[in-house]
Amino acid sequence: MSTFIAACRRQPVEHTPIWIMRQAGRYLPEYRELRSRVDFEALTHKAELAAEVTIQPLRRFELDAAILFSDIMTPVQGMGVDLFFDPGPVVRNPIRTDAQIDALPQLVPERDVPFVLESIKLIRPELPRGAPLIGFAGGPFTLLCYLVSGKPSKEFGIARSFLYSQPESAERLLDHLADAMAAYLGAQAAAGAQALMLFESWAGLLAPREFSRFALRAVRRTMAALRKRTDVPLIYYVNQGSALMEVVADLDVDVIGVDWRSPLSQVSRVLGPGKAVQGNLDPAALFAPPGELERHADLVLQEGRAAPGHIFNLGHGIWPETSPDAVARLVDHVHASSSKGRR
Ligand code: CP3
């Protein structure tokens, strides 16, 4: 079993596995080169290109997992929602009425996003070192933020006020997205994805009460459906969720991913012995001078030893300005340092 899957399952590992959120992307010269010729949407819609970009970072670095190159909005486009990327997703007709919610079709992945499933099949046999492939989707609430607000925003005021002004409509939309993402992730696992991750990038916008009522209720629905369909590890990434760990502790997933704001030992203490943790170096730490970066990585490793399983990652996506050399140093250091202090 790969170190990544073993850590997800809270089993012993010979070194702490590491992968990096947004590891395929603009900090890589080979991505920028391809991207200068092909726009982002075409990259996500052409199976061969998405497969190539997925594999790029694994050729360069000894990463322990690959993540499918796609976007959280790709299946939403597959449901017929008209949107474009600039660089974040912009929805041409934001969804704010019951009529619009009721008109959303259910996602049939094989019909609506066949290129995603095709790229998974292309990627699997090409992955170096038998690295496992992570499939992913957006958390229903994070998708709602973009669908209702219509564009990226710091506070997503329009989406948040929608929860209060039209709570039943919000729940209907979330249920629909929860079922669509269950179908989407289930199809990814059937096509060959070896772990599934749900990104709740905007979790931190909500207080625990609203997070439970809206975001978590929908995620439970997605994860429960997936547990019936597949036995691959399930990961829930909760960005800016330090105040939400109590309420996610009883969610039926294998791994909780967190941002850099709370130490992993503290996170794990709240989550308990049934959850592995993923994270949580500040992406800004990759700008520290050599020696310092390694010291920051060691602090994360040390915190991670308090958890029953630890997958090293950044607390959020890598920045486009990051030097690939810093990434190489980080990956090699995490492997060397964690295999010395074997768990
Ligand atoms: O390497 C990987 O992690 C896989 C690829 C991936 C992308 N988006 C490619 C992408 C993944 C996992 C995502 C998920 C995603 N997309 C999230 C959740 C993760 C997170 O960062 O919180 C969110 C919120 C989105 C929505 C989205 N798509 C935004 C906000 C943006 C702009 C972000 C930016 O960095 O400028 C996108 C566009 C996007 N998705 C790019 C990439 C590589 C940049 C597009 C380009 O090349 O121009």
Side-chain angles (χ1 to χ4, degrees), residues 22 40 44 67-79 83 85 88-89 107 113 136-147 156 177 181 184 188 197-202 237:
R22 297 282 175 101
F40 175 67
T44 57
I67 182 157
L68 175 68
F69 185 80
S70 187
D71 196 82
I72 59 167
M73 300 306 281
T74 303
V76 177
Q77 282 181 306
M79 289 160 67
L83 61 91
F85 291 88
L107 181 75
V113 283
F136 76 90
F141 172 69
T142 294
L143 297 175
L144 175 148
C145 285
Y146 288 106
L147 287 171
F156 282 98
L177 294 168
M181 293 311 113
Y184 184 52
Q188 290 185 38
M197 174 154 163
L198 211 61
F199 283 92
E200 205 72 274
S201 303
W202 299 112
Y237 170 66

Side-chain angles (χ1 to χ4, degrees), residues 240-263:
Q240 299 205 32
S242 15
L244 305 172
M245 290 299 114
E246 277 90 356
V247 298
V248 298
D250 74 339
L251 177 69
D252 183 16
V253 294
D254 302 281
V255 185
I256 297 292
V258 293
D259 65 88
W260 62 91
R261 293 166 185 84
S262 23

Side-chain angles (χ1 to χ4, degrees), residues 274-288:
K275 301 269 189 302
V277 296
Q278 178 170 275
N280 69 343
L281 186 70
D282 186 340
L286 284 157
F287 294 80

Side-chain angles (χ1 to χ4, degrees), residues 1-337:
M1 195 191 294
S2 68
T3 53
F4 170 78
I5 299 292
C8 289
R9 298 200 184 289
R10 294 171 278 123
Q11 291 168 5
V13 287
E14 62 203 24
H15 61 74
T16 302
I18 172 171
W19 70 278
I20 289 175
M21 282 195 269
R22 297 282 175 101
Q23 65 190 17
R26 288 165 295 180
Y27 74 104
L28 284 180
E30 54 272 36
Y31 175 83
R32 290 197 301 269
E33 196 282 317
L34 186 54
R35 183 69 179 74
S36 70
R37 294 182 280 123
V38 187
D39 74 28
F40 175 67
E41 241 173 279
L43 282 186
T44 57
H45 284 78
K46 288 243 183 323
E48 292 79 9
L49 295 177
E52 163 61 22
V53 175
T54 300
I55 298 162
Q56 280 179 350
L58 281 95
R59 292 200 190 101
R60 227 183 223 270
F61 315 114
E62 300 264 316
L63 293 160
D64 296 289
I67 182 157
L68 175 68
F69 185 80
S70 187
D71 196 82
I72 59 167
M73 300 306 281
T74 303
V76 177
Q77 282 181 306
M79 289 160 67
V81 174
D82 188 11
L83 61 91
F84 60 96
F85 291 88
D86 182 28
V90 181
V91 176
R92 284 200 173 83
N93 294 306
I95 295 182
R96 295 173 190 165
T97 67
D98 284 342
Q100 284 173 294
I101 296 168
D102 294 339
L104 279 176
Q106 199 38 260
L107 181 75
V108 181
E110 298 75 11
R111 179 192 69 195
D112 301 330
V113 283
F115 47 87
V116 171
L117 309 177
E118 183 54 33
S119 75
I120 291 172
K121 290 178 192 151
L122 293 173
I123 294 162
R124 274 293 302 274
E126 298 296 324
L127 283 176
R129 307 176 298 280
L133 176 64
I134 305 168
F136 76 90
F141 172 69
T142 294
L143 297 175
L144 175 148
C145 285
Y146 288 106
L147 287 171
V148 173
S149 281
K151 56 181 191 308
S153 153
K154 269 212 169 73
E155 295 272 331
F156 282 98
I158 299 174
R160 251 161 65 223
S161 55
F162 182 73
L163 301 185
Y164 291 92
S165 63
Q166 291 165 258
E168 276 108 39
S169 307
E171 284 173 343
R172 278 243 295 294
L173 177 56
L174 288 166
D175 283 351
H176 188 88
L177 294 168
D179 294 345
M181 293 311 113
Y184 184 52
L185 290 170
Q188 290 185 38
Q194 292 146 295
L196 298 170
M197 174 154 163
L198 211 61
F199 283 92
E200 205 72 274
S201 303
W202 299 112
L205 293 175
L206 300 179
R209 191 198 305 265
E210 281 67 39
F211 179 80
S212 297
R213 169 167 180 194
F214 296 105
L216 191 57
R217 198 183 63 96
V219 171
R220 280 193 212 285
R221 187 165 165 137
T222 304
M223 295 302 187
L226 287 170
R227 284 293 198 212
K228 287 194 193 132
R229 222 183 129 171
T230 168
D231 53 17
V232 304
L234 304 179
I235 308 170
Y236 187 42
Y237 170 66
V238 191
N239 188 30
Q240 299 205 32
S242 15
L244 305 172
M245 290 299 114
E246 277 90 356
V247 298
V248 298
D250 74 339
L251 177 69
D252 183 16
V253 294
D254 302 281
V255 185
I256 297 292
V258 293
D259 65 88
W260 62 91
R261 293 166 185 84
S262 23
L264 291 178
S265 59
Q266 195 179 309
V267 167
S268 184
R269 204 176 314 124
V270 180
L271 292 175
K275 301 269 189 302
V277 296
Q278 178 170 275
N280 69 343
L281 186 70
D282 186 340
L286 284 157
F287 294 80
E292 282 295 291
L293 169 60
E294 286 78 356
R295 194 174 63 80
H296 290 291
D298 280 339
L299 292 171
V300 172
L301 283 170
Q302 191 186 325
E303 289 287 334
R305 285 194 194 100
H310 177 210
I311 299 133
F312 198 106
N313 206 315
L314 304 184
H316 202 179
I318 188 168
W319 299 350
E321 303 78 14
T322 310
S323 152
D325 293 341
V327 175
R329 276 174 25 231
L330 175 65
V331 172
D332 293 345
H333 180 76
V334 165
H335 286 159
S337 182

